[in-house]
Amino acid sequence: MLLLKKILYIAATVLTWALYLLALTSGYGGFIDPEVTVIPGILTLVFLPLFVLTLIPAALWLIFRRRRPIALAGIAVVVLLLYPFFTVSPLSFPSGPKPGEKVLKVLTYNVHHFARSAKDSTRTEIVDYLLRSDADVICLQEACVFTYFRYPPETTHPMFSHELGRKYPYMRWGTDNEMAILSRYPLSWEGPLAKIHDQCAVAAEVQVEPGKSVTVFCVHFPSYRLSDDEKGVVTQLDRGFDGMKKSAREMKRSILGKLKRAALARASFAAGIDSVASLIPGRQIVCGDFNDVPLSYTWRLFNSSGFRDAYVDAGNGPMYTFNAFHMLFHIDQILYRGDMRAVSVEKGRLKASDHYPVSATLVIR
């Protein structure tokens, strides 16, 4: 009996230290360049489950072995994890706009080529939602519709030229109409912005009113491009130790290479956007489908350049914006910097795409 207790004690100790290490790696993995290793970046996807799991042994060791180093380490680990926890699950109480302050509402939405929602050739649930959103600027990813509605590449679907066109008369489209910025206010794209109009990004300066403009970057960073079976493996990451072990085995076979290539591509694209943004003064917004979560390397790259996360500043609790394959991740972001502040963030409930729409209301000072 004593031997069994000793074995169980040693096993519990080893598993606890391993969990502490995993949780810390997931919380701060975004500081590690994917060129070095992609594993910490992968773990950022499952920070919240790991954080919750860490609380359990930390509390048990504190109750039953409070003077042991492992109990004290548990307290230190939990304290260190509070920063990433309140990044992915913020608690904010932003004040609303003051009288006379200019407000800009920005909406980002990966519409998945309108593939799930077409009612007829000129009307979709997504367009209905966009018309009701009351957004000032709409940033769309995967907005190309001719693939599904049989429109030639050189034309735009009638819904953009009619209903949305009346409400948002100013538009800028990326290559093959994959990316779009729709605006109530005049748009311009001179200088460095003129070069950003491809399948992964489009940018424009929004002239909100005389003397007040905002540069908007609508982005769609590369995805992991996993097959359906491979996506099923990734979802096992947040399903306990058995799921993690299964995922680890499968990742060694084929998935890890894809994850690393995608992480490196996102880092490269993000660095390119950040370098262009650094050439442009004034207020800036970078929003869209990052295919990456808060705490990730891509997210931290912008954060280190002075961009703030609208959800961190004005949101509450955890949020997920991707809704397919049970991969409930927060991968659609709205970041900003300059003389602005976020006063609210809202996730739409429309399930007409594999993403949910996300909007942020910002006060322009």
Side-chain angles (χ1 to χ4, degrees):
M1 183 62 73
L2 289 176
L3 179 60
L4 179 60
K5 285 185 177 179
K6 188 173 183 179
I7 292 173
L8 291 175
Y9 178 83
I10 293 173
T13 301
V14 171
L15 288 173
T16 299
W17 282 113
L19 187 57
Y20 288 170
L21 180 61
L22 281 173
L24 286 170
T25 304
S26 69
Y28 293 92
F31 286 102
I32 301 174
D33 192 326
E35 191 72 59
V36 177
T37 174
V38 74
I39 299 298
I42 296 172
L43 289 175
T44 62
L45 295 169
V46 290
F47 167 73
L48 275 179
L50 285 173
F51 176 75
V52 173
L53 284 174
T54 301
L55 294 177
I56 298 171
L60 291 174
W61 284 112
L62 186 61
I63 293 170
F64 297 108
R65 293 289 190 274
R66 66 180 64 184
R67 294 185 180 179
R68 299 270 182 173
I70 196 169
L72 300 176
I75 297 173
V77 168
V78 171
V79 170
L80 288 172
L81 293 177
L82 289 179
Y83 163 68
F85 173 75
F86 284 114
T87 298
V88 301
S89 183
L91 182 64
S92 62
F93 304 96
S95 58
K98 299 176 182 178
E101 287 186 318
K102 184 65 179 177
V103 171
L104 183 73
K105 184 176 181 179
V106 178
L107 184 148
T108 179
Y109 196 5
N110 182 325
V111 294
H112 195 53
H113 302 108
F114 300 87
R116 289 189 188 177
S117 60
K119 295 178 182 177
D120 54 48
S121 62
T122 60
R123 198 78 174 156
T124 71
E125 291 176 271
I126 292 176
V127 173
D128 291 342
Y129 178 87
L130 297 177
L131 289 169
R132 295 194 309 267
S133 70
D134 199 35
D136 298 303
V137 177
I138 295 175
C139 294
L140 300 178
Q141 304 89 47
E142 296 188 17
C144 174
V145 293
F146 61 80
T147 303
Y148 294 91
F149 297 121
R150 301 182 186 280
Y151 278 81
E154 66 272 10
T155 66
T156 300
H157 192 270
M159 62 190 178
F160 290 112
S161 60
H162 297 315
E163 294 176 79
L164 279 177
R166 285 194 293 269
K167 191 166 186 177
Y168 298 97
Y170 306 99
M171 301 184 183
R172 192 185 187 200
W173 293 81
T175 305
D176 293 335
N177 293 345
E178 279 288 316
M179 310 288 292
I181 297 176
L182 317 180
S183 175
R184 289 178 170 176
Y185 302 113
L187 299 178
S188 62
W189 47 88
E190 300 174 352
L193 297 181
K195 299 179 181 179
I196 302 181
H197 63 102
D198 55 30
Q199 292 182 324
C200 293
V202 65
E205 183 179 10
V206 182
Q207 192 66 48
V208 180
E209 61 182 32
K212 288 187 176 181
S213 64
V214 180
T215 301
V216 176
F217 297 86
C218 173
V219 301
H220 186 191
F221 294 140
S223 69
Y224 292 113
R225 297 191 179 278
L226 301 179
S227 67
D228 290 353
D229 290 341
E230 290 169 336
K231 288 174 181 176
V233 172
V234 175
T235 61
Q236 296 292 325
L237 279 170
D238 61 354
R239 296 183 183 178
F241 286 106
D242 289 339
M244 287 182 183
K245 282 193 260 182
K246 180 180 178 182
S247 288
R249 288 194 299 268
E250 293 296 328
M251 282 184 178
K252 286 181 181 179
R253 297 176 190 173
S254 65
I255 301 177
L256 201 58
K258 288 185 177 181
L259 296 180
K260 182 167 185 176
R261 286 191 293 272
L264 290 172
R266 285 194 297 273
S268 176
F269 273 94
I273 294 295
D274 185 54
S275 65
V276 173
S278 67
L279 302 174
I280 302 168
R283 308 170 187 87
Q284 298 174 354
I285 294 172
V286 177
C287 66
D289 179 2
F290 277 43
N291 274 306
D292 237 337
V293 296
L295 304 180
S296 66
Y297 182 81
T298 302
W299 183 89
R300 289 198 183 280
L301 189 151
F302 286 106
N303 185 252
S304 65
S305 294
F307 282 93
R308 300 183 62 86
D309 189 317
Y311 189 71
V312 174
D313 290 347
N316 284 287
M319 178 173 76
Y320 66 92
T321 63
F322 188 71
N323 59 56
F325 304 102
H326 304 289
M327 300 175 72
L328 307 181
F329 299 130
H330 180 178
I331 60 175
D332 298 87
Q333 319 294 346
I334 300 178
L335 311 181
Y336 69 98
R337 71 179 175 188
D339 202 10
M340 298 184 290
R341 64 183 179 90
V343 296
S344 69
V345 173
E346 179 184 358
K347 182 183 81 172
R349 297 297 177 183
L350 179 65
K351 202 169 183 179
S353 165
D354 54 357
H355 291 248
Y356 289 112
V358 180
S359 62
T361 301
L362 302 120
V363 169
I364 299 177
R365 294 178 289 199

